Amino acid sequence: MASVPHIAVIGGGSTGIGIARDLAMRGLDVTLVEQGNLTHGTTGRMHGLLHSGGRYAVSDQASANECIEENKVLRDIASHCVEMTGGMFVKRPEDTEEYFEEKLEGCKACDIPAEVISGEEARAIEPHLARDIDKAITVPDGAIDPFRLVVANAASAEEHGARIETHSKVTDLVVEDDEVVGVEVEHQTGPDKKVRGTEGGTEQIRADYVVNATGAWAGRIGDMANVDIEVRPSKGVMTIMNIRQVDTVINRCRPKGDADIIVPHETTAILGTTDEEVDDPEDYPEEGWEVELMIDTLKELVPMLEEARTIRSFWGVRPLYEPPDVGSDDPTDITRDYFLLDHEERDDLHGMTSIVGGKFTTYRMMGEEISDHVCDQFGIDAECRTAEVPLPGSEDFSVLRDYMDEFGLRSPIGRRSVERLGSRAEDVLNTDGPNPTVCECEAVTRAEIKDAISQSGANLNAVRIRTRASMGNCQGGFCCNRMASELHGEFDEQITREAWDALLQERWKGQRHALWGQQLSQAALNYALHATTQNRDNDPADGEPVDFAAFDSGPTPTGTSGQTGVVTDGGTRDGD
Amino acid sequence: MESAFEPTEPNTGEEFEPVDVFPDSDDFDLRPGSDSCYKCSTCDTNCPVAEVDDEFPGPKFQGPEQWRLKQSEDDYDIDDSVMDCSNCMRCDNACPAGVPLSQMHNTARGEYVSEQMDHLSIEYWRNRILSNYRTSAWLASKTPRLANFAMNLGPARWLMEKTMGVTKEREFPEFATETFREWWDKRGAAAGSKERAQAARRERGLPEDADKKVAYFHGCYSNYNTTEVGKAMVRVYEHFGYEVVVPEQGCSGTPMFANGMLEDARRHAEVNVSSMSDLVDQGYDAIASCTSCSMALRQEYPELFDIDGIDDLAANTFESIEYLRIHEDIREEIQAAEVSGELADEFAYHAPCHSRNQGLDRQAVELFRELDGAGIEDVGESCSGISGTYGWKAEKYEKSMKIGDEMFDHMEHAEGETGMTECPTCAMQMEHGTGYDIRHPLELVEAALVDGHAV
Ligand SMILES: Cc1cc2nc3c(=O)[nH]c(=O)nc-3n(C[C@H](O)[C@H](O)[C@H](O)COP(=O)(O)OP(=O)(O)OC[C@H]3O[C@@H](n4cnc5c(N)ncnc54)[C@H](O)[C@@H]3O)c2cc1C
Ligand code: SF4
Ligand code: SF4
């Protein structure tokens, strides 16, 4: 092989993007294709826990070891995505003493720093903990923002020459003589799609090697080349609270069970989760009782959750895998470890490897292992540097906090902006023009929105995951229109309207699961506001081009919105 | 989960227990309070400071947004704009969802002052002196005539502005030559009051030992400056057959909350709660003649401090006219009365913001419109703009006058040329803006109902 090998990576979740960055940094030629936005899959619907390994310290020590190792690495290379909140395993009177001891021993065995504290000490750290918590084990759990992390990985991969194609679905594998030699890709058309890649149409991307990092979808890619990959998708619900009732990760110290963890995430707290096998990773029921279960069970740890405001709920699907000979019945028994499936060894199919299972926390380690494997195929001896080189945004971030005043922003707004932007803060926030706050709930200013638009084009859901704009308590009621108006100048009306509609649809999706009490008032207010000021009640003039005369003839029963089937990143299901 | 489905129950700040997150300080975790906010901005449109000051981010930011963005990490700063809030508490009243806005502002301000403000700065000491008005007033009352003369001397006022940042535009309030408490003691104190109350009961055909007793929280101003208000309170209450006692007391804390001096406020609150709640235990109700004092005792105390007896005191505190409207047929007596003399006048009445929060903004108008010999006209909903010590600060003076403009305007258009209000600092502002004399409703009740109010 004379020239640099070209590797095609399928899947823009944490696993795929980690592989792309690693291979690009080792000097390989990389193309990553993702059917939706980055984080369209499970990565965009996870809990945001940077595992210390404590959760696996009893049941799965191999995973626990990997977690603590990567936990340390990510604190370093991704400091602007990580908040070291610390965590604890709390024991209620009905939880067994034996398990508590096992947990402690397990942590020690895996070199996870763990200490026992009394119930009082735990409440001194987290005052809203239930009065009857006996004691707790502290561990170095943290919170991590998956969106920011994946975007930063993508930026780094691109800096090293990788091509990242979002909204590009692999429809087939190109197989010649039992060897995968490329992928058929369908690029989405439509103006609100990311503008950086090739727009519209199909493309055959030839590659010297293909990596299948499609998580819960891995079996479908396998099917394209007639190989079996038995991923067992298992769904889990997560419920987002309006505020952080806790500033520390709170785990329940008992063997396994639903609803046993609360993770402080940015301005919110996320309750989770369940573990239930589903047939189709894209089409499964989202049920009200699951949300109630979260609140009803976790209020045993933090009683105020019962009265607290819930802003939305979402579901994710674990790409669990177990070697065919294990045969667990219960998905909670399936290992959380990852597997590298070399199809040459396994199925006599050359040119492709799949990576399945694993966790977000260990994404980098998985990337390293698979990159080693790919390099081996070509006899390349290049060193992995992803554990040392900080991600864009995490270089020398600490000094910046001292200069926050210079951006002329009010205290919590500047503070939050800098936390999100990390070392990029100066470039992004030092603007000449006025810099009003666009999203008040999450303190996102125009400068940050503009910066996100420059990265993702007229795709407001992509802007959202980069900035958190519209993710606060009004759930976009007051800022979606402002975000859309930031597209003015660069994009025409039609594109802007589509991007705006897609954002509103996505915001509505998760809120449907929180329609009681305060969030119901919010939704009612948002509706009234959007109907009366933005014509969201589908006045007949809401066509294209706008038929202003139609305002006079009153509404017709058929509206243009009411679109269903949106997923977390605002794309439609199945990436189309 | 049923109880979470309670859309109509406003979040009064009682559903959640504020929690001491930072055990060594007075700070409460008020993040849960922002759960009720749905960003409607009604509070912003009702904020008098935001109306005149484009730089002020408004109560929505100051309260629910800032608290939600805050984290318990030590270096999560409070934005300095909280010092521009005048603590008029209008936002509290405006919010349809029951967000505990003023509690959020007060707590944030306390944190800002104790942790971020330079304790050697002139601003800090100026604010501290202004908010500890009681101490200055106590000093001045020792030599009231000299104080009145010296404080209002042109050069002295100029110097105060230059060195302390206290505006030279305002005249310092006049100190009474005899404080209310001195008068009270001379007059026979509690024992004297009991005799008079018993006489009044006999006259009214009530049993002599009727259970009618109140503890008067006079506040600083009616003790040192407008003693006629305190005297009117005592005479009016005795007229209705109440025994009055005047317990040991400090400042209510209102100016200290507004300046973020929560430590000072707590010291005074401890004195007040301890003496007043003892009396409440014995069956006394607490009465204040200043609406900010009653506001402090009934709302801010339990929101900000955790002192034994504080909730009982809060539940048994009333404003002076409010109490009589609840327990006495004062309306009928006023209807039957006719006022003559100095107070037979037309009044331009301003309802203080803090009276509005207690639902008392209509009481004076409703009462006096039926009084023969006097007329009363409400000058509208606007804020007077002084908000206690706020309008005394050189850098806030203009803002304060701009806020007051609407009220001044309405006062000029009202028929009367005498003002009326329950709040001593609103009275200062009203007088400053229009030159009118300003009276307290108790004075008019006294003139109407208490004959020959000599003793
Ligand atoms: C409820 C829940 C909570 C979790 N919480 C945590 C946690 O707190 N901490 C933690 O460390 N881990 C957690 N995990 C695990 C973690 O989220 C996943 O292991 C991880 O995100 C998987 O990433 P991935 O890239 O392998 O898969 P994905 O993120 O699903 O990525 C696969 C991508 O492939 C794309 N794709 C699929 N088919 C095609 C195609 N034909 N063409 C192009 N692209 C395609 C998909 O759109 C998708 O974006 C959680 C998982 C769940 C379900
Ligand atoms: S207390 Fe008054 S000045 Fe302060 S924010 Fe509320 S309305 Fe504005
Ligand atoms: S009035 Fe109340 S609900 Fe409306 S924005 Fe202000 S605090 Fe929030």
Side-chain angles (χ1 to χ4, degrees):
Chain A
M1 195 140 316
S3 61
V4 179
H6 177 216
I7 316 298
V9 179
I10 317 173
S14 55
T15 311
I17 209 74
I19 296 166
R21 178 185 190 227
D22 197 334
L23 289 172
M25 284 174 78
R26 297 192 203 202
L28 279 74
D29 189 11
V30 179
T31 301
L32 180 140
V33 283
E34 161 57 51
Q35 63 181 355
N37 268 324
L38 293 174
T39 72
H40 173 92
T42 311
T43 304
R45 312 179 206 178
M46 47 86 80
H47 211 146
L49 171 67
L50 177 65
H51 283 279
S52 61
R55 283 179 73 81
Y56 306 116
V58 177
S59 58
D60 187 352
Q61 295 200 343
S63 287
N65 277 316
E66 289 167 5
C67 284
I68 186 66
E69 203 173 305
E70 286 302 294
N71 174 300
K72 291 180 196 149
V73 172
L74 292 187
R75 277 188 240 168
D76 243 25
I77 64 155
S79 57
H80 80 295
C81 310
V82 171
E83 183 189 343
M84 270 322 284
T85 58
M88 51 175 116
F89 284 85
V90 298
K91 178 186 168 312
R92 288 188 49 80
E94 64 269 30
D95 302 333
T96 70
E97 188 62 41
E98 296 79 72
Y99 189 75
F100 189 86
E101 287 306 319
E102 269 184 77
K103 181 67 85 187
L104 189 63
E105 289 313 309
C107 287
K108 294 205 167 128
C110 302
D111 281 334
I112 301 166
E115 246 176 77
V116 176
I117 56 173
S118 68
E120 260 86 79
E121 288 168 314
R123 277 183 293 276
I125 301 171
E126 284 304 336
H128 296 302
L129 277 182
R131 300 257 147 238
D132 54 356
I133 299 282
D134 301 335
K135 52 181 176 176
I137 302 171
T138 60
V139 291
D141 280 341
I144 185 158
D145 187 81
F147 304 117
R148 222 176 287 152
L149 185 95
V150 169
V151 168
N153 269 284
S156 168
E158 284 184 322
E159 272 170 27
H160 290 90
R163 172 181 166 205
I164 310 281
E165 290 287 341
T166 57
H167 302 285
S168 301
K169 181 178 180 170
V170 171
T171 51
D172 209 354
L173 293 174
V174 187
V175 184
E176 291 168 1
D177 305 327
D178 290 332
E179 179 172 358
V180 181
V181 295
V183 294
E184 276 310 329
V185 174
E186 203 173 273
H187 296 293
Q188 269 177 62
T189 51
D192 73 326
K193 301 309 171 222
K194 197 174 161 209
V195 287
R196 206 183 310 141
T198 316
E199 251 186 70
T202 56
E203 183 189 5
Q204 189 179 88
I205 299 176
R206 305 278 300 183
D208 300 306
Y209 204 80
V210 173
V211 177
N212 172 18
T214 52
W217 289 261
R220 298 199 180 168
I221 300 292
D223 289 346
M224 295 172 186
N226 293 319
V227 295
D228 263 349
I229 304 168
E230 267 107 26
V231 176
R232 293 176 57 178
S234 151
K235 72 166 173 173
V237 66
M238 283 145 290
T239 294
I240 311 185
M241 308 309 290
N242 179 43
I243 58 146
R244 290 164 60 134
Q245 283 81 15
V246 291
D247 289 304
T248 310
V249 175
I250 304 297
N251 301 271
R252 176 98 180 240
C253 192
R254 66 176 177 195
K256 63 180 180 191
D258 289 337
D260 64 352
I261 178 167
I262 308 169
V263 182
H265 179 72
E266 308 276 321
T267 47
T268 68
I270 307 184
L271 319 183
T273 176
T274 45
D275 203 340
E276 200 185 334
E277 201 155 345
V278 295
D279 297 329
D280 185 337
E282 282 172 344
D283 191 13
Y284 48 83
E286 299 177 347
E287 287 167 285
W289 65 264
E290 299 176 87
V291 176
E292 284 178 33
L293 177 75
M294 290 307 110
I295 296 170
D296 282 347
T297 314
L298 284 164
K299 73 172 191 232
E300 293 173 11
L301 305 185
V302 178
M304 75 180 309
L305 287 174
E306 182 168 18
E307 301 277 313
R309 173 173 179 176
T310 302
I311 53 179
R312 62 195 281 127
S313 286
F314 64 101
W315 279 255
V317 184
R318 292 177 194 81
L320 298 183
Y321 177 85
E322 67 179 11
D325 46 310
V326 181
S328 308
D329 284 337
D330 185 339
T332 55
D333 292 334
I334 301 176
T335 174
R336 264 38 179 176
D337 210 351
Y338 60 89
F339 295 87
L340 191 157
L341 310 178
D342 182 347
H343 296 293
E344 182 180 340
E345 254 172 41
R346 195 172 170 267
D347 314 291
D348 286 328
L349 176 70
H350 295 252
M352 181 165 94
T353 287
S354 297
I355 181 147
V356 286
K359 281 167 297 297
F360 181 84
T361 304
T362 54
Y363 88 97
R364 193 213 59 82
M365 185 182 260
M366 292 158 73
E368 177 171 352
E369 191 173 332
I370 205 154
S371 298
D372 286 347
H373 176 75
V374 170
C375 287
D376 279 352
Q377 310 298 309
F378 301 98
I380 297 174
D381 182 22
E383 214 187 319
C384 172
R385 292 188 296 135
T386 53
E388 288 91 45
V389 183
L391 287 164
S394 287
E395 305 111 343
D396 232 3
F397 164 37
S398 50
V399 283
L400 244 165
R401 294 194 169 179
D402 304 335
Y403 295 106
M404 252 158 29
D405 278 351
E406 287 176 15
F407 307 127
L409 298 175
R410 300 215 166 270
S411 178
I413 298 175
R415 172 78 194 234
R416 297 287 309 157
S417 304
V418 168
E419 280 178 353
R420 285 188 299 258
L421 292 163
S423 49
R424 300 186 51 244
E426 192 148 15
D427 287 346
V428 175
L429 298 176
N430 270 335
T431 55
D432 297 333
N435 189 18
T437 306
V438 173
C439 165
E440 291 162 350
C441 304
E442 292 296 317
V444 186
T445 62
R446 172 182 288 166
E448 202 177 335
I449 300 279
K450 289 277 189 207
D451 170 65
I453 293 172
S454 76
Q455 292 174 26
S456 58
N459 179 337
L460 293 176
N461 277 303
V463 171
R464 170 177 62 80
I465 64 172
R466 282 167 173 76
T467 60
R468 284 189 66 77
S470 78
M471 289 167 91
N473 56 342
C474 80
Q475 290 285 294
F478 288 75
C479 64
C480 287
N481 55 316
R482 297 181 192 158
M483 289 168 72
S485 63
E486 294 301 328
L487 295 173
H488 174 75
E490 214 178 318
F491 301 94
D492 66 23
E493 184 201 329
Q494 188 54 35
I495 295 179
T496 302
R497 277 185 183 279
E498 280 175 25
W500 183 9
D501 286 351
L503 177 63
L504 280 173
Q505 285 300 328
E506 190 283 333
R507 291 290 74 195
W508 172 241
K509 184 182 183 326
Q511 259 186 103
R512 291 174 309 172
H513 302 288
L515 292 182
W516 65 84
Q518 290 130 335
Q519 202 61 28
L520 180 60
S521 308
Q522 183 75 62
L525 179 68
N526 290 356
Y527 178 78
L529 206 65
H530 293 172
T532 53
T533 66
Q534 296 158 23
N535 196 25
R536 287 284 160 193
D537 51 351
N538 287 314
D539 194 280
D542 188 26
E544 36 169 293
V546 174
D547 175 9
F548 289 100
F551 274 103
D552 302 331
S553 52
T556 50
T558 49
T560 47
S561 72
Q563 186 187 341
T564 50
V566 276
V567 294
T568 356
D569 66 352
T572 40
R573 288 202 187 278
D574 222 359
D576 50 35
Chain B
M1 226 167 81
E2 280 329 296
S3 53
F5 290 76
E6 194 46 273
T8 52
E9 190 75 359
N11 188 344
T12 54
E14 285 160 0
E15 275 170 19
F16 64 89
E17 285 272 297
V19 168
D20 208 338
V21 180
F22 320 93
D24 292 332
S25 65
D26 276 331
D27 304 324
F28 286 132
D29 179 11
L30 293 178
R31 286 181 291 180
S34 44
D35 269 3
S36 296
C37 173
Y38 55 113
K39 323 290 285 194
C40 66
S41 303
T42 312
C43 52
D44 285 351
T45 58
N46 278 275
C47 169
V49 174
E51 192 177 339
V52 300
D53 180 2
D54 288 343
E55 295 291 304
F56 183 62
K60 180 170 73 164
F61 169 81
Q62 210 71 261
E65 281 173 2
Q66 176 157 244
W67 274 98
R68 188 171 171 275
L69 292 168
K70 197 175 151 54
Q71 281 159 24
S72 66
E73 269 174 70
D74 304 339
D75 52 344
Y76 244 80
D77 284 353
I78 299 285
D79 192 60
D80 55 9
S81 58
V82 76
M83 298 308 283
D84 288 334
C85 156
S86 74
N87 199 33
C88 72
M89 298 169 112
R90 278 185 166 246
C91 45
D92 262 3
N93 213 31
C95 175
V99 175
L101 284 141
S102 64
Q103 186 185 14
M104 290 175 156
H105 307 331
N106 275 331
T107 309
R109 195 161 30 233
E111 194 178 318
Y112 177 83
V113 169
S114 76
E115 269 146 53
Q116 285 163 248
M117 205 172 184
D118 178 0
H119 287 196
L120 297 173
S121 70
I122 290 177
E123 192 189 353
Y124 176 82
W125 282 102
R126 188 267 322 264
N127 290 357
R128 194 130 188 223
I129 290 169
L130 282 176
S131 60
N132 282 280
Y133 173 74
R134 185 175 184 275
T135 311
S136 323
W138 173 80
L139 259 174
S141 73
K142 297 289 156 203
T143 50
R145 287 190 187 85
L146 179 63
N148 289 339
F149 172 74
M151 300 263 273
N152 282 312
L153 216 55
R157 273 160 66 182
W158 177 85
L159 197 70
M160 291 273 271
E161 169 151 335
K162 289 296 163 225
T163 58
M164 298 286 296
V166 174
T167 180
K168 66 177 190 314
E169 302 296 330
R170 291 187 192 275
E171 282 196 29
F172 283 92
E174 207 167 300
F175 292 97
T177 45
E178 177 188 58
T179 68
F180 166 75
R181 292 183 79 97
E182 285 162 2
W183 171 83
W184 167 256
D185 286 342
K186 269 194 207 155
R187 191 170 167 276
S193 182
K194 187 167 192 167
E195 272 168 37
R196 287 188 192 84
Q198 282 171 345
R201 288 175 197 156
R202 274 195 300 273
E203 209 168 298
R204 289 173 169 265
L206 294 169
E208 199 163 285
D209 56 351
D211 185 25
K212 296 177 86 168
K213 40 193 190 180
V214 296
Y216 180 35
F217 190 87
H218 48 66
C220 312
Y221 213 73
S222 27
N223 187 38
Y224 295 112
N225 305 86
T226 51
T227 52
E228 59 281 6
V229 174
K231 293 175 190 170
M233 184 281 171
V234 171
R235 291 185 189 121
V236 167
Y237 271 69
E238 286 173 354
H239 163 83
F240 281 103
Y242 288 91
E243 299 164 24
V244 180
V245 295
V246 181
E248 185 199 353
Q249 54 191 275
C251 166
S252 70
T254 303
M256 295 157 184
F257 302 142
N259 286 290
M261 307 288 174
L262 292 189
E263 280 306 312
D264 292 347
R266 171 187 277 282
R267 272 205 324 279
H268 287 267
E270 275 162 3
V271 173
N272 298 336
V273 173
S274 131
S275 68
M276 305 285 293
S277 71
D278 276 355
L279 288 163
V280 165
D281 271 353
Q282 297 164 37
Y284 287 83
D285 284 319
I287 306 296
S289 50
C290 158
T291 40
S292 295
C293 292
S294 61
M295 185 76 192
L297 265 51
R298 62 185 4 177
Q299 181 180 324
E300 285 162 318
Y301 275 21
E303 278 182 356
L304 298 170
F305 307 126
D306 197 2
I307 303 172
D308 247 4
I310 206 161
D311 291 323
D312 278 346
L313 173 59
N316 290 290
T317 298
F318 300 86
E319 192 279 329
S320 54
I321 303 283
E322 174 192 27
Y323 190 78
L324 294 175
R325 295 220 310 161
I326 297 171
H327 294 285
E328 301 299 325
D329 209 345
I330 185 173
R331 181 174 173 198
E332 200 174 313
E333 288 197 33
I334 288 285
Q335 273 172 341
E338 187 179 347
V339 68
S340 59
E342 197 202 343
L343 283 152
D345 205 348
E346 291 292 329
F347 293 95
Y349 172 76
H350 164 75
C353 296
H354 289 177
S355 81
R356 216 170 276 286
N357 285 39
Q358 296 167 79
L360 306 177
D361 47 319
R362 294 288 296 163
Q363 63 176 8
V365 173
E366 284 170 6
L367 193 60
F368 297 133
R369 67 185 168 197
E370 295 173 328
L371 174 61
D372 285 340
I376 184 162
E377 191 174 334
D378 192 335
V379 296
E381 304 224 307
S382 60
C383 167
S384 77
I386 189 163
S387 295
T389 56
Y390 190 81
W392 281 93
K393 299 171 186 170
E395 78 280 8
K396 305 272 180 1
Y397 174 77
E398 269 181 34
K399 235 182 272 180
S400 151
M401 291 304 280
K402 224 159 138 191
I403 297 171
D405 260 349
E406 189 178 328
M407 179 189 73
F408 301 146
D409 203 43
H410 289 175
M411 284 180 73
E412 315 250 304
H413 282 89
E415 209 174 305
E417 299 206 335
T418 306
M420 175 174 282
T421 191
E422 286 92 343
C423 166
T425 56
C426 286
M428 268 182 226
Q429 177 86 331
M430 292 162 82
E431 185 187 349
H432 184 63
T434 60
Y436 294 180
D437 262 354
I438 317 294
R439 313 306 288 251
H440 190 284
L442 277 172
E443 294 180 74
L444 186 54
V445 175
E446 181 191 22
L449 303 183
V450 185
D451 26 54
H453 40 92
V455 270

